[in-house]
Amino acid sequence: MRRPLVVGNWKMNGTCQSAVQLADAIVSGLPSECQVEVGVCPSYVFIPGVSERLAGSMVQLGGQNVADQDSGAFTGEVSAPMLKEFGCSLAIVGHSERRQVYGETDALIAARYQKAIEHGITPILCIGETLEEREAGDTFKVVDGQLQAVLGQAGIQSLGHAVIAYEPVWAIGTGRTATPEQAQEVHAHIRQQLVAQDPEVASNVRILYGGSVNADNASSLFSQEDIDGGLIGGASLKADSFLAIVQAAMENS
Ligand code: PGA
């Protein structure tokens, strides 16, 4: 049984005060018996404040990225040991905004992913195709390539310590969600590709869906067999909608 995971990606939004308030509202709004795992990824600078607020709660904390090095002259980077110091157990890697806006390559993403695992942080590896790639019929080719670029370096067993997030680029922040069937088709394909490499890893790894998930569409997405939760951007910035998404995951677990 895969335990669903719902993670909020707060991106570059808010203030320290609003981030702590949001964390507070999530912690107090969660049911005491919550069968799904929940995490939030604030901006790096808000992590210390949010970490204090989450202490003792079930909500996991994560970075929106993680350095491919432990320390040294790497201006602007934040390492896995630094994230750990503030209680982070998760790190998003390979988000399409990192790939597309900041030019992160598959090789760099693989190195970030490995560093996270080395330090006991669970990487959430994001993969997904652009609209042009989908329209050209290349969706499977693109996600396979992005996944293999990482597994080629880190090995299939690394997925025992990681989470995959399928995030079609055309669905991120656009309000245009993949239909549950479109998402399930790609999730099932990803899992099938992994079966060939290691059936046990394939059946245990969680594959989250991300891209315009909201309180209204979450349930139909999470009801799909191979969708094990979500990576939530815009709808994670309000406690009510994020908690409703968590509730949808609970009802479909
Ligand atoms: P969105 O973002 O929910 O705002 O589409 C998802 C993500 O980028 O992880």
Side-chain angles (χ1 to χ4, degrees):
M1 266 301 284
R2 298 183 297 268
R3 197 160 179 227
L5 170 65
V6 177
V7 177
N9 174 8
W10 295 354
K11 306 194 182 181
M12 198 173 72
N13 288 297
T15 62
C16 192
Q17 192 189 18
S18 71
V20 173
Q21 278 169 355
L22 180 54
D24 196 46
I26 291 169
V27 170
S28 21
L30 282 173
S32 47
E33 294 278 300
C34 187
Q35 308 93 324
V36 309
E37 288 182 35
V38 178
V40 295
C41 299
S43 155
Y44 287 135
V45 292
F46 303 153
I47 284 177
V50 171
S51 177
E52 251 178 57
R53 183 57 197 92
L54 295 183
S57 82
M58 61 151 300
V59 180
Q60 300 171 40
L61 184 59
Q64 294 176 15
N65 208 344
V66 60
D68 60 330
Q69 307 284 336
D70 286 343
S71 65
F74 303 101
T75 303
E77 291 289 319
V78 173
S79 71
M82 291 172 180
L83 291 176
K84 282 204 88 173
E85 192 176 338
F86 290 94
C88 291
S89 55
L90 304 168
I92 297 169
V93 297
H95 191 279
S96 66
E97 286 149 18
R98 300 304 317 173
R99 294 179 189 266
Q100 298 217 310
V101 186
Y102 297 98
E104 292 198 10
T105 61
D106 280 335
L108 176 58
I109 290 158
R112 293 186 186 281
Y113 170 99
Q114 283 186 285
K115 259 306 169 205
I117 291 177
E118 189 184 306
H119 290 282
I121 287 182
T122 302
I124 301 172
L125 173 64
C126 301
I127 58 177
E129 82 288 0
T130 62
L131 187 58
E132 297 70 49
E133 289 164 340
R134 173 163 281 263
E135 285 174 348
D138 287 339
T139 298
F140 291 167
K141 194 173 100 189
V142 170
V143 297
D144 291 351
Q146 290 171 335
L147 191 53
Q148 282 316 314
V150 170
L151 298 183
Q153 291 300 312
I156 180 79
Q157 297 301 326
S158 69
L159 283 178
H161 310 280
V163 171
I164 298 169
Y166 168 59
E167 298 206 304
V169 178
W170 47 271
I172 295 177
T174 57
R176 184 177 166 188
T177 326
T179 64
E181 295 72 27
Q182 277 176 323
Q184 166 60 22
E185 183 188 26
V186 181
H187 282 234
H189 168 82
I190 294 167
R191 205 177 301 284
Q192 204 50 48
Q193 293 299 108
L194 297 172
V195 166
Q197 299 177 56
D198 188 313
E200 199 182 326
V201 166
S203 78
N204 289 334
V205 70
R206 288 178 290 190
I207 309 176
L208 313 185
Y209 170 78
S212 297
V213 179
N214 58 40
D216 296 328
N217 61 28
S219 195
S220 57
L221 287 159
F222 296 163
S223 66
Q224 300 296 314
E225 190 180 339
D226 289 292
I227 300 184
D228 307 311
L231 183 55
I232 321 297
S236 72
L237 294 172
K238 293 251 171 6
D240 286 357
S241 49
F242 186 66
L243 289 167
I245 293 167
V246 171
Q247 181 68 33
M250 281 174 59
E251 284 161 11
N252 286 286
S253 67

